[in-house]
Amino acid sequence: MAKSVKKTESKSSIKLIENSGRNRDEIKVLKDKLGIALKRAKLAKSEAAIERLGKVGSSRGVESMFRSSYRAQLDMIALAATKANIMISLNGLLISIILLSGGFLLGAEPLLLIPVASLLLTSTVAIIFAVLAARPEIDNRPRSLEDFTNDTADMLVFGQFTKLNSQEFDSAMWGMLEDQERVYRSMISHIYNLGTIANKKFTKLYVSYNSFMIGLTISVTLLLLVIGYDAFLK
């Protein structure tokens, strides 16, 4: 409909030029000018459309980036929890076996106390760091409405905004939503906090897994030495 109206307007403009009583050269010049003006108008509209689409695309790109970053950080935190649960279950089972059978083993061979104690210490250290990695972190620092207004606290972290009452939270949230830059800053800060939490968890898991690996190697070596001593030196 809009295209037909535009075509009708351009045709009427051409007819007015032709019926203006001018000579052919003047009519040709006017037609050329009209064509140039129409082309410029189309070009301006197309450029505006491209710019508008570019803004929409960039906005979607930013949203996709935030969504992907959130998902990646949350997946890493969930992975850390899974790995911590593996270490807790495994070392808990080892400690239970050692405590149940330790008396029998020590009665049969007192030297087995050395590898048993080493394995018990290894499992204890590994399970402690695994529990620390799985333990949730809570921000217990007091927060006020001014902290969120001044962007010194994060509205997206439950350990922080739960220090406010319902009215203060509503006011702080609406104040942030009115400023798109503050929203983006808050999301960026939240992603950074999630990454920091994931890094701390994996650092503790690194200690847990390494201590288990090294301690298990030492314990098995000590056990083999005790067995060799019993077999060849006694």
Side-chain angles (χ1 to χ4, degrees):
M1 184 68 180
K3 290 183 178 180
S4 61
V5 171
K6 290 178 181 178
K7 288 181 179 179
T8 304
E9 290 178 352
S10 61
K11 288 181 179 179
S12 61
S13 299
I14 293 173
K15 287 182 179 180
L16 287 174
I17 293 173
E18 291 176 346
N19 297 329
S20 61
R22 300 173 184 269
N23 57 39
R24 291 183 178 179
D25 293 335
E26 291 178 346
I27 291 174
K28 185 178 180 181
V29 171
L30 291 174
K31 284 183 178 180
D32 292 339
K33 289 182 178 180
L34 178 61
I36 293 172
L38 291 174
K39 288 181 180 179
R40 286 179 178 176
K42 290 181 180 179
L43 181 61
K45 289 181 179 179
S46 62
E47 288 177 350
I50 292 172
E51 184 179 359
R52 185 168 60 252
L53 289 174
K55 289 182 179 179
V56 173
S58 62
S59 177
R60 289 179 180 175
V62 170
E63 292 175 1
S64 299
M65 186 275 293
F66 278 121
R67 192 180 302 111
S68 299
S69 298
Y70 271 114
R71 187 181 297 113
Q73 306 309 318
L74 293 175
D75 287 345
M76 293 301 291
I77 292 174
L79 179 62
T82 302
K83 290 182 176 294
N85 288 331
I86 293 173
M87 292 301 293
I88 292 171
S89 301
L90 177 60
N91 287 282
L93 179 62
L94 285 176
I95 291 174
S96 299
I97 293 173
I98 291 171
L99 294 177
L100 290 174
S101 60
F104 173 77
L105 293 175
L106 294 178
E109 177 55 62
L111 288 177
L112 289 175
L113 175 63
I114 299 174
V116 168
S118 175
L119 184 59
L120 183 61
L121 179 62
T122 296
S123 297
T124 303
V125 173
I127 202 171
I128 287 174
F129 279 96
V131 170
L132 290 175
R135 185 179 64 176
E137 296 187 9
I138 300 177
D139 188 357
N140 292 320
R141 290 176 294 177
R143 301 289 184 178
S144 64
L145 182 59
E146 293 181 356
D147 294 329
F148 295 95
T149 305
N150 299 328
D151 291 334
T152 56
D154 194 349
M155 285 294 300
L156 302 179
V157 179
F158 78 94
Q160 297 183 18
F161 69 74
T162 50
K163 304 296 189 302
L164 304 176
N165 57 42
S166 178
Q167 290 78 13
E168 290 176 338
F169 175 76
D170 184 81
S171 175
M173 181 61 76
W174 278 111
M176 183 183 69
L177 293 177
E178 290 174 356
D179 189 349
Q180 187 177 13
E181 184 179 352
R182 285 188 62 197
V183 173
Y184 283 160
R185 281 203 307 267
S186 182
M187 295 174 70
I188 291 170
S189 176
H190 192 208
I191 291 174
Y192 176 79
N193 290 332
L194 290 176
T196 302
I197 292 173
N199 181 63
K200 290 179 180 178
K201 289 182 178 294
F202 274 95
T203 301
K204 293 169 184 175
L205 278 176
Y206 180 82
V207 176
S208 177
Y209 274 81
N210 276 358
S211 61
F212 179 76
M213 178 180 63
I214 296 171
L216 183 62
T217 303
I218 294 173
S219 300
V220 172
T221 303
L222 292 173
L223 179 62
L224 293 176
L225 290 175
V226 170
I227 294 174
Y229 176 79
D230 285 341
F232 299 105
L233 298 179
K234 273 193 175 182

